[in-house]
Amino acid sequence: MKINFIDLQAQYKAYEQEINKEVLEVMASAQFIGGQQISTLEKNLAQFCGTKEALACSSGTDALLLALMALDIKEGDEVITTPFTFIATAEVIAFLKATPVFVDIDETTYNIDHTKIEDKITSKTKAIIPVSLYGQTANMDEINAIASKHNLCVIEDACQSFGAEYKGKKSCNLSHIGCTSFFPSKPLGCYGDGGAIMTNDENLASKMRMILNHGQNERYSHKYVGINGRLDAIQAAILNVKMKHFDKEIEARAKIGQKYIDELKDAKGVTPPTILEDRTSVFAQFTLLCENREELQAKLSQASIPTAVHYPKPLHLQEVFEYLGYKKGDFPISERVSQQVISLPMSPFLTKEEQDYIIKTIKG
Ligand SMILES: *Cc1c(COP(=O)(O)O)cnc(C)c1O
């Protein structure tokens, strides 16, 4: 049995006619930047998340960068985040010459441990970026309360959690700003790079809208230093089609995720993830802990089952962040978990036969 880690081809086949039609219409219209598809997408995103504003942009990384730029994060500022995430979360902080300040993760959700945040707040702290890793949000109420007490902004890195819910509210609508990614393998993916920013703050939204288009408030009139952070119309057209099917895909993801959890909870040597009662996961990755990763990876690979490791090295131990002065042992939970995580094939198009085969191989 040949199994894909994420089956993007099956997904394209399912929506092929609709997607082709919309993409060809964009081509014929020659409206490649901005236009109807972008405004429709922004409306769809705001409606889906329940936010006042949604801005389409060029990637998840740029979404985070634009949020920090709009908050005037600069040299000397500190931004608190987790070391157990994709590099982009901390990279954008460092790119603006501000200082990423890491806080270890919570053992249950692998997300930032809110009980350890206040110790790291100084007079230089400007924002907190919790990451909703693997598709499940962090303890957002507690994080927002800490932020509000210290007058900080909270930016949710929701690049893996678009579509997830926390206490009945959508990820991306849980703090001042929510940033997501439409990288092809994310829960809602386009066919190239893409991202979005959601907020209920209209002033911030209008500032971000300018910054993502060279700081222009009108054509050739520039108010801020900005970037070219726009999404293109072809990607928006694809996303508008895929959003029509997204609720169904979230349901399929939840079902597949729950089946992995139920059937692997008694398996030897592995611990499936815990999804807390007050939230849902979109399982951007289905990631579990294992006692002997090399052995399990080899066993699965022999059965032609692809796996991945998200992420093998926490950010405080990365060469690029050596200058921050962290050392091994500073974030013991992140360090241990990074040695034990393994991600299994996961997509709404994973068939029952494929999943049964994967589960049987792990247990065998
Ligand atoms: C994918 C991802 C990003 C970056 O998104 P891109 O669209 O690839 O730029 C940032 N943070 C996290 C947690 C991600 O998973």
Side-chain angles (χ1 to χ4, degrees):
M1 195 176 304
K2 158 100 175 64
I3 296 175
N4 293 299
F5 187 66
I6 296 176
D7 202 343
L8 294 177
Q9 280 170 327
Q11 191 197 47
Y12 174 57
K13 270 205 201 102
Y15 315 142
E16 182 174 5
Q17 283 177 355
E18 277 174 278
I19 287 176
N20 289 2
K21 177 175 166 286
E22 294 295 327
V23 167
L24 288 173
E25 270 175 29
V26 173
M27 309 275 254
S29 77
Q31 175 78 63
F32 297 121
I33 302 289
Q36 188 63 51
Q37 291 285 1
I38 296 287
S39 45
T40 302
L41 175 65
E42 292 183 337
K43 228 177 278 155
N44 286 341
L45 292 170
Q47 193 175 32
F48 181 85
C49 296
T51 51
K52 283 195 188 146
E53 300 271 351
L55 293 80
C57 69
S58 40
S59 69
T61 306
D62 286 344
L64 293 163
L65 178 64
L66 287 159
L68 293 175
M69 286 174 81
L71 297 174
D72 293 316
I73 302 294
K74 54 184 186 311
E75 191 162 2
D77 292 340
E78 294 177 356
V79 179
I80 292 174
T81 191
T82 158
F84 191 56
T85 177
F86 181 58
I87 184 73
T89 317
E91 191 178 34
V92 290
I93 302 167
F95 183 77
L96 293 173
K97 307 243 178 331
T99 307
V101 173
F102 296 122
V103 167
D104 208 357
I105 55 169
D106 152 72
E107 259 175 304
T108 313
T109 61
Y110 317 136
N111 285 324
I112 194 165
D113 182 345
H114 72 270
T115 65
K116 294 179 179 152
I117 290 177
E118 264 190 306
D119 279 351
K120 298 292 183 79
I121 294 176
T122 72
S123 58
K124 295 177 180 167
T125 309
K126 292 284 149 61
I128 307 171
I129 309 184
V131 177
S132 303
L133 201 72
Y134 306 144
Q136 175 177 214
T137 70
N139 294 327
M140 295 303 286
D141 279 355
E142 289 84 349
I143 294 167
N144 286 329
I146 294 165
S148 129
K149 181 169 153 201
H150 297 271
N151 208 11
L152 308 174
C153 229
V154 178
I155 302 167
E156 184 196 4
D157 180 341
C159 287
Q160 299 184 8
S161 61
F162 189 78
E165 287 184 9
Y166 172 80
K167 302 186 179 176
K169 265 172 104 174
K170 285 276 182 353
S171 174
C172 294
N173 187 14
L174 304 174
S175 60
H176 297 112
I177 304 176
C179 296
T180 198
S181 164
F182 302 130
F183 185 80
S185 61
K186 305 282 167 145
L188 180 66
C190 58
Y191 291 169
D193 279 306
I197 310 168
M198 268 57 72
T199 183
N200 291 308
D201 183 328
E202 281 150 313
N203 291 329
L204 261 181
S206 110
K207 187 169 177 187
M208 289 190 287
R209 201 173 284 289
M210 289 183 231
I211 295 175
L212 75 80
N213 194 18
H214 300 293
Q216 296 187 104
N217 49 8
E218 54 189 287
R219 200 159 205 198
Y220 303 129
S221 166
H222 304 270
K223 186 173 160 87
Y224 301 110
V225 170
I227 61 173
N228 173 355
R230 299 177 302 248
L231 184 74
D232 65 75
I234 290 180
Q235 298 306 334
I238 292 160
L239 288 165
N240 283 328
V241 170
K242 286 180 62 168
M243 280 198 81
K244 291 184 194 155
H245 303 280
F246 192 51
D247 281 332
K248 204 174 52 197
E249 289 200 359
I250 293 173
E251 227 173 277
R253 285 179 172 278
K255 221 171 119 197
I256 292 165
Q258 194 56 49
K259 178 174 160 122
Y260 268 140
I261 291 173
D262 292 343
E263 298 197 19
L264 290 174
K265 65 174 187 286
D266 301 321
K268 239 192 18 237
V270 298
T271 312
T274 303
I275 309 303
L276 297 180
E277 292 257 309
D278 59 0
R279 61 201 82 174
T280 65
S281 178
V282 285
F283 296 106
Q285 331 288 347
F286 188 88
T287 306
L288 41 75
L289 297 182
C290 58
E291 279 163 17
N292 190 334
R293 184 161 67 198
E294 264 168 46
E295 201 175 280
L296 181 59
Q297 262 180 321
K299 183 160 90 173
L300 291 169
S301 155
Q302 247 173 16
S304 301
I305 298 168
T307 57
V309 175
H310 305 97
Y311 296 90
K313 195 193 242 185
L315 300 190
H316 67 289
L317 302 178
Q318 295 284 350
E319 188 179 346
V320 64
F321 288 137
E322 256 173 30
Y323 73 96
L324 294 173
Y326 291 106
K327 55 186 190 312
K328 219 176 167 140
D330 282 347
F331 304 109
I333 302 171
S334 298
E335 289 169 31
R336 179 171 53 75
V337 165
S338 69
Q339 299 298 309
Q340 296 182 335
V341 282
I342 184 167
S343 303
L344 303 179
M346 177 76 211
S347 90
F349 293 87
L350 192 73
T351 65
K352 179 178 182 299
E353 291 68 37
E354 288 171 333
Q355 195 179 13
D356 286 340
Y357 173 69
I358 295 163
I359 291 166
K360 199 178 98 204
T361 309
I362 292 172
K363 285 177 152 174

mmCIF file of all heavy atoms in Angstrom, residues 59-61 64 85-86 88-89 131 157 159-160 181 183 186 193-194 311, ligand 1:
data_model
loop_
_atom_site.group_PDB
_atom_site.id
_atom_site.type_symbol
_atom_site.label_atom_id
_atom_site.label_comp_id
_atom_site.label_asym_id
_atom_site.label_seq_id
_atom_site.Cartn_x
_atom_site.Cartn_y
_atom_site.Cartn_z
ATOM 1 N N SER A 59 2.015 35.040 2.936
ATOM 2 C CA SER A 59 2.392 33.782 3.609
ATOM 3 C C SER A 59 2.091 33.913 5.094
ATOM 4 O O SER A 59 1.812 35.020 5.587
ATOM 5 C CB SER A 59 3.895 33.482 3.425
ATOM 6 O OG SER A 59 4.679 34.415 4.137
ATOM 7 N N GLY A 60 2.203 32.814 5.801
ATOM 8 C CA GLY A 60 2.057 32.844 7.255
ATOM 9 C C GLY A 60 3.189 33.634 7.897
ATOM 10 O O GLY A 60 2.976 34.369 8.862
ATOM 11 N N THR A 61 4.374 33.477 7.352
ATOM 12 C CA THR A 61 5.526 34.221 7.864
ATOM 13 C C THR A 61 5.284 35.725 7.720
ATOM 14 O O THR A 61 5.491 36.493 8.665
ATOM 15 C CB THR A 61 6.803 33.821 7.081
ATOM 16 O OG1 THR A 61 6.942 32.410 7.137
ATOM 17 C CG2 THR A 61 8.027 34.486 7.650
ATOM 18 N N LEU A 64 2.737 37.107 10.240
ATOM 19 C CA LEU A 64 3.346 37.387 11.547
ATOM 20 C C LEU A 64 4.200 38.647 11.494
ATOM 21 O O LEU A 64 4.164 39.493 12.396
ATOM 22 C CB LEU A 64 4.210 36.193 11.985
ATOM 23 C CG LEU A 64 3.458 34.902 12.308
ATOM 24 C CD1 LEU A 64 4.414 33.699 12.321
ATOM 25 C CD2 LEU A 64 2.746 35.015 13.663
ATOM 26 N N THR A 85 8.440 25.259 18.016
ATOM 27 C CA THR A 85 7.606 25.698 16.895
ATOM 28 C C THR A 85 8.460 25.732 15.643
ATOM 29 O O THR A 85 9.669 25.493 15.694
ATOM 30 C CB THR A 85 7.012 27.100 17.181
ATOM 31 O OG1 THR A 85 6.259 27.557 16.042
ATOM 32 C CG2 THR A 85 8.092 28.129 17.459
ATOM 33 N N PHE A 86 7.812 26.053 14.533
ATOM 34 C CA PHE A 86 8.541 26.279 13.285
ATOM 35 C C PHE A 86 9.325 27.592 13.408
ATOM 36 O O PHE A 86 8.873 28.533 14.061
ATOM 37 C CB PHE A 86 7.531 26.332 12.130
ATOM 38 C CG PHE A 86 8.154 26.539 10.785
ATOM 39 C CD1 PHE A 86 9.103 25.659 10.296
ATOM 40 C CD2 PHE A 86 7.785 27.630 10.005
ATOM 41 C CE1 PHE A 86 9.683 25.855 9.044
ATOM 42 C CE2 PHE A 86 8.362 27.829 8.751
ATOM 43 C CZ PHE A 86 9.309 26.942 8.279
ATOM 44 N N ALA A 88 9.722 30.211 11.748
ATOM 45 C CA ALA A 88 9.141 31.497 11.343
ATOM 46 C C ALA A 88 8.618 32.314 12.530
ATOM 47 O O ALA A 88 8.725 33.543 12.535
ATOM 48 C CB ALA A 88 8.004 31.270 10.343
ATOM 49 N N THR A 89 8.063 31.627 13.539
ATOM 50 C CA THR A 89 7.483 32.332 14.685
ATOM 51 C C THR A 89 8.489 33.282 15.335
ATOM 52 O O THR A 89 8.165 34.431 15.647
ATOM 53 C CB THR A 89 7.009 31.310 15.754
ATOM 54 O OG1 THR A 89 6.342 30.227 15.119
ATOM 55 C CG2 THR A 89 6.086 31.963 16.760
ATOM 56 N N VAL A 131 1.679 29.811 20.003
ATOM 57 C CA VAL A 131 1.514 29.053 18.765
ATOM 58 C C VAL A 131 0.483 27.952 19.017
ATOM 59 O O VAL A 131 0.541 27.286 20.051
ATOM 60 C CB VAL A 131 2.851 28.415 18.325
ATOM 61 C CG1 VAL A 131 2.671 27.568 17.069
ATOM 62 C CG2 VAL A 131 3.902 29.487 18.101
ATOM 63 N N ASP A 157 -0.126 32.664 16.655
ATOM 64 C CA ASP A 157 0.407 32.011 15.459
ATOM 65 C C ASP A 157 -0.492 30.801 15.211
ATOM 66 O O ASP A 157 -0.317 29.730 15.795
ATOM 67 C CB ASP A 157 1.868 31.591 15.665
ATOM 68 C CG ASP A 157 2.452 30.894 14.423
ATOM 69 O OD1 ASP A 157 1.653 30.427 13.570
ATOM 70 O OD2 ASP A 157 3.691 30.797 14.320
ATOM 71 N N CYS A 159 -0.945 29.314 12.330
ATOM 72 C CA CYS A 159 -0.583 28.763 11.019
ATOM 73 C C CYS A 159 -0.928 27.283 10.902
ATOM 74 O O CYS A 159 -1.047 26.760 9.804
ATOM 75 C CB CYS A 159 0.902 28.989 10.747
ATOM 76 S SG CYS A 159 1.261 30.709 10.366
ATOM 77 N N GLN A 160 -1.088 26.600 12.047
ATOM 78 C CA GLN A 160 -1.455 25.181 11.988
ATOM 79 C C GLN A 160 -2.883 24.934 12.473
ATOM 80 O O GLN A 160 -3.325 23.792 12.501
ATOM 81 C CB GLN A 160 -0.467 24.350 12.843
ATOM 82 C CG GLN A 160 0.967 24.476 12.346
ATOM 83 C CD GLN A 160 1.948 23.600 13.096
ATOM 84 O OE1 GLN A 160 1.578 22.769 13.916
ATOM 85 N NE2 GLN A 160 3.230 23.791 12.815
ATOM 86 N N SER A 181 -1.551 30.513 7.857
ATOM 87 C CA SER A 181 -0.811 30.206 6.633
ATOM 88 C C SER A 181 -1.664 29.335 5.729
ATOM 89 O O SER A 181 -2.395 28.471 6.212
ATOM 90 C CB SER A 181 0.467 29.436 7.001
ATOM 91 O OG SER A 181 1.018 28.802 5.853
ATOM 92 N N PHE A 183 -0.020 27.699 3.230
ATOM 93 C CA PHE A 183 0.972 26.788 2.628
ATOM 94 C C PHE A 183 0.230 25.487 2.275
ATOM 95 O O PHE A 183 -0.662 25.068 3.007
ATOM 96 C CB PHE A 183 2.080 26.539 3.659
ATOM 97 C CG PHE A 183 3.229 25.711 3.151
ATOM 98 C CD1 PHE A 183 4.218 26.282 2.369
ATOM 99 C CD2 PHE A 183 3.317 24.354 3.464
ATOM 100 C CE1 PHE A 183 5.280 25.512 1.901
ATOM 101 C CE2 PHE A 183 4.374 23.585 2.996
ATOM 102 C CZ PHE A 183 5.354 24.175 2.208
ATOM 103 N N LYS A 186 -0.954 22.918 4.905
ATOM 104 C CA LYS A 186 -1.678 23.348 6.112
ATOM 105 C C LYS A 186 -3.147 22.917 6.004
ATOM 106 O O LYS A 186 -3.616 22.601 4.904
ATOM 107 C CB LYS A 186 -1.590 24.874 6.261
ATOM 108 C CG LYS A 186 -0.182 25.417 6.258
ATOM 109 C CD LYS A 186 0.536 25.219 7.588
ATOM 110 C CE LYS A 186 2.010 25.487 7.382
ATOM 111 N NZ LYS A 186 2.721 26.101 8.449
ATOM 112 N N ASP A 193 2.317 29.824 -2.001
ATOM 113 C CA ASP A 193 2.382 30.439 -0.673
ATOM 114 C C ASP A 193 1.207 31.380 -0.471
ATOM 115 O O ASP A 193 0.738 32.028 -1.413
ATOM 116 C CB ASP A 193 3.699 31.213 -0.525
ATOM 117 C CG ASP A 193 4.861 30.287 -0.176
ATOM 118 O OD1 ASP A 193 4.735 29.548 0.820
ATOM 119 O OD2 ASP A 193 5.865 30.296 -0.903
ATOM 120 N N GLY A 194 0.738 31.464 0.756
ATOM 121 C CA GLY A 194 -0.353 32.381 1.084
ATOM 122 C C GLY A 194 -0.564 32.424 2.575
ATOM 123 O O GLY A 194 -0.089 31.555 3.313
ATOM 124 N N TYR A 311 9.161 19.123 15.848
ATOM 125 C CA TYR A 311 10.350 19.561 15.163
ATOM 126 C C TYR A 311 11.525 18.958 15.889
ATOM 127 O O TYR A 311 11.491 18.878 17.131
ATOM 128 C CB TYR A 311 10.426 21.096 15.156
ATOM 129 C CG TYR A 311 9.259 21.685 14.365
ATOM 130 C CD1 TYR A 311 8.067 21.990 14.991
ATOM 131 C CD2 TYR A 311 9.360 21.865 12.983
ATOM 132 C CE1 TYR A 311 6.994 22.479 14.255
ATOM 133 C CE2 TYR A 311 8.292 22.368 12.253
ATOM 134 C CZ TYR A 311 7.105 22.660 12.895
ATOM 135 O OH TYR A 311 6.046 23.130 12.176
HETATM 136 C C1 LIG B 1 3.809 27.057 8.492
HETATM 137 C C2 LIG B 1 4.069 27.843 9.707
HETATM 138 C C3 LIG B 1 4.483 29.187 9.647
HETATM 139 C C4 LIG B 1 4.859 29.871 8.369
HETATM 140 O O1 LIG B 1 3.904 29.868 7.377
HETATM 141 P P1 LIG B 1 4.365 30.046 5.840
HETATM 142 O O2 LIG B 1 3.090 30.259 5.110
HETATM 143 O O3 LIG B 1 5.081 28.813 5.430
HETATM 144 O O4 LIG B 1 5.237 31.263 5.786
HETATM 145 C C5 LIG B 1 4.620 29.878 10.835
HETATM 146 N N1 LIG B 1 4.370 29.297 12.021
HETATM 147 C C6 LIG B 1 3.985 28.010 12.124
HETATM 148 C C7 LIG B 1 3.694 27.426 13.479
HETATM 149 C C8 LIG B 1 3.834 27.239 10.978
HETATM 150 O O5 LIG B 1 3.473 25.943 11.077
#
